[in-house]
Each structure stands twice: as C-alpha cells, then as structure tokens.
Amino acid sequence: MTETDALRKLSILATLLAAAIFLAGARLPPHGPLPQPRPDAADTTSPTPLPDKAEPPAPADVPAPQPKPDVKEPETPAPDQPSAPPIEPKKPEPAKPPPAEPMQGPPLPPGKGPQTPEEDNKSPAEQTLEEQHLTIEPESDAEHAECTAALKALGVVFKDVPRIDDGNGCGIDKPIIVSEALPGITLKPEATVRCPAALALARWMKESVIPAASAALPEQGRLTTVNQATSYLCRLRNSAGTGKISEHARGNAIDIASFHFEKGEDVAVRSRREDSTLTGAFQRTVSAAGCLYFTTVLDPESDAAHETHFHLDVIERKGGYRYCH
C-alpha cells in the first residue's frame, strides 16, 4: 500500500466520525413548520396555532344545572315482593251488528219453519218430502160442485168425506171415495181421490175400456170389476226417498192392476208389447186411449216401477202438455 492510499482512508474515517458526533447532538424543533396560506385565500384568517396543552373552559362558560321537575319516581318494590305485571291497554270491543229484521212475506203453514241453508242448496230432486215444505192446494166450491154433478150423471157411486191433511203437502181439500166406477162396475178396493180423477176414470171406462173389451173379449162377458192398486197415498214419486211429490199424495192419481169379467180369467196389466192375442190388443188399446182422458199415462212398457199396472193421473201442466207412454 502507498502512502497516498493510507492517507485517503484516514480522511474518510475522520469524516464519518465527525458526522456521527454531529447527528448524536441534533434535536427536533419543538414545533413543526406552519402551512403557508394559499395565494387565493388572502381574505381568510390564518389558522391559530394550537397551544401545547388544552385548557378547560372558564367557569362562566359551563351551563348551570337546571332544577328537575317535580316528578314522583316509582317506588322500587322490596326484594321479597313480586313486581306487579304491566297493565296492558284494553282492546276496543268490536261493534255488535244490529239485530236482523224478520223476513217479510206470507205466513208459513203451521209447524213449518224457514228452510235452512243446507235445504236451500239442495235441488228438488235431492230434497225429502219434509224438506220441500209443500201445502195442500185449495179447491173451488163451484168447480167441485160441477164435477160431482157430472159424476152423478154418469152413475158413479161415491161419497164426500172430510178434508184430508197428512202434513208435508199430502192431502186433499175436497176428497171423495168412489165405490163404483160406473153403474154395475165395482172399484175394488174403494178409491179415495179428487173428483177430477174420478171423472176421468169414469169417462175412460165408458168410452174406451167397455167398447174395447166388447170388441176384443166378447166371450168373457160383461166387465164387472176394476181392481185398483193405489189411489190416495202420501209419498214421493215411485216411493223414492227424495224427489218430487207423487200425484197419489194429492188425490190426482189411480193405479189400475186388472179387469174382472163375468166369465174367464182376469185380464192382468203386464208387459204385452209382443202379445199378438186379442188380450194384448185390448190392453194396448185402453192404454193408448187413456191419454184422451188423463194427462199422464204410464204402462208396463214405461219402466220397472210400472210393470204390473197403469198409472193414470190428472196433473195440470203448462200448455196442456200430456205425458203418455
């Protein structure tokens, strides 16, 4: 190593030593430099430097406490006493609807109340006789007198009987009991009907049944008895549990089961559609002729409920419509 290199290294060490001594004695100033105002903020007030320590406000600046209002504080319950449950506010009671006014209309028959919603929702085919609340139809005195006069003129044997009322619309206002459909022709058993039904039966017998029997069954002799199966009877149609009321329950219908003659066997009403004998012709003839006198004629060809008789009734329909089968 040359002398020049040694001197250079000593000079560098001396410089580093002096810098270290200088830095060790240096201190930071107590306050940092203040920010200079912006050129465009000449009118604004320069911020005031913060003091070293915040001082508490003067006593005059502290608000004086205000007196508390005279409110009684709730007493604290003793430890051994349970606290009272909070009182809930009462709920307003709902307003009661005004009482329903009674329905206006004609008075109901004795013992009949208004229909229930369940009954209202049922169709007539689903209602029992009791649910239908039917009544007996009144009959005119003048029409009844005219009808009974016509019966007497034909020689029908009958008697008037008191009004029949079996309830639920079953009954006859002016019933009669017929014992002979025509002179010398017994109605067996006696039939309780309205006069119009008895009059239709008498005319059918005189104008159709007797002439047809004379033509088809002359060897059997005179017709002496008409055997009936049902006259007045309180029930629904076909004795069903629900549905429309039967015309039997109103005295408008009679069922004919057979015809008895002086000679030979009785002619029973049964299915004779394929019967090619004169007896079959007789039954088909009187069945068809029945529609001239009755508004309903049902024979053994109608349905299973009429396999053994004629059903004949005088129900009134709109437009004079008749049902004959």
Side-chain angles (χ1 to χ4, degrees):
M1 177 184 299
T2 63
E3 185 178 351
T4 303
D5 293 334
L7 290 174
R8 183 181 295 114
K9 291 180 178 181
L10 290 174
S11 176
I12 291 171
L13 291 172
T15 301
L16 292 173
L17 182 60
I21 294 171
F22 176 77
L23 290 174
R27 292 189 306 172
L28 292 174
H31 301 289
L34 297 177
Q36 299 296 324
R38 292 181 299 173
D40 57 350
D43 296 336
T44 59
T45 306
S46 299
T48 305
L50 294 174
D52 293 341
K53 296 183 180 179
E55 296 181 0
D61 297 335
V62 179
Q66 299 296 325
K68 295 182 180 180
D70 189 11
V71 179
K72 185 177 181 180
E73 296 182 357
E75 297 180 358
T76 304
D80 57 346
Q81 295 182 355
S83 58
I87 300 175
E88 296 182 359
K90 292 184 178 180
K91 295 181 180 180
E93 295 183 359
K96 294 182 179 179
E101 296 182 358
M103 295 179 64
Q104 301 297 321
L108 295 171
K112 303 296 181 184
Q115 288 184 309
T116 64
E118 291 77 9
E119 294 173 359
D120 290 335
N121 292 333
K122 291 182 180 179
S123 66
E126 299 174 326
Q127 292 182 346
T128 65
L129 185 59
E130 292 75 10
E131 291 172 340
Q132 296 181 45
H133 304 290
L134 302 173
T135 58
I136 300 172
E137 297 181 3
E139 297 186 60
S140 164
D141 291 337
E143 291 179 356
H144 182 69
E146 182 181 354
C147 181
T148 54
L151 288 181
K152 292 175 182 178
L154 289 170
V156 178
V157 178
F158 70 96
K159 61 181 178 181
D160 289 294
V161 291
R163 184 175 188 268
I164 299 173
D165 186 353
D166 290 331
N168 302 315
C170 292
I172 307 174
D173 189 31
K174 292 178 170 55
I176 63 171
I177 295 179
V178 179
S179 55
E180 289 190 13
L182 285 174
I185 301 179
T186 303
L187 188 59
K188 185 178 180 179
E190 295 179 334
T192 301
V193 292
R194 288 181 62 234
C195 182
L199 184 58
L201 177 66
R203 288 173 174 171
W204 174 60
M205 294 286 300
K206 180 179 181 179
E207 298 171 11
S208 296
V209 176
I210 293 176
S214 298
L217 307 170
E219 71 281 358
Q220 303 237 140
R222 184 177 65 87
L223 177 64
T224 60
T225 305
V226 175
N227 298 302
Q228 62 97 6
T230 310
S231 54
Y232 169 76
L233 182 63
C234 181
R235 63 173 173 83
L236 297 179
R237 292 181 182 179
N238 298 332
S239 300
T242 59
K244 292 184 177 180
I245 191 172
S246 171
E247 291 306 302
H248 286 285
R250 291 178 168 174
N252 288 329
I254 188 168
D255 292 344
I256 304 300
S258 65
F259 302 92
H260 180 72
F261 297 87
E262 287 180 320
K263 304 173 184 179
E265 296 179 355
D266 289 358
V267 176
V269 178
R270 57 182 176 83
S271 178
R272 297 183 184 273
R273 179 180 295 172
E274 306 299 331
D275 187 349
S276 59
T277 67
L278 287 174
T279 302
F282 165 76
Q283 179 177 302
R284 291 192 297 270
T285 298
V286 297
S287 175
C291 209
L292 300 175
Y293 309 92
F294 297 92
T295 56
T296 305
V297 177
L298 300 174
D299 64 16
E301 316 303 336
S302 301
D303 53 35
H306 300 90
E307 288 180 338
T308 59
H309 62 273
F310 294 139
H311 169 88
L312 311 170
D313 72 48
V314 292
I315 184 176
E316 294 183 6
R317 297 186 180 93
K318 294 181 180 179
Y321 173 75
R322 298 186 177 213
Y323 182 84
C324 304
H325 192 287

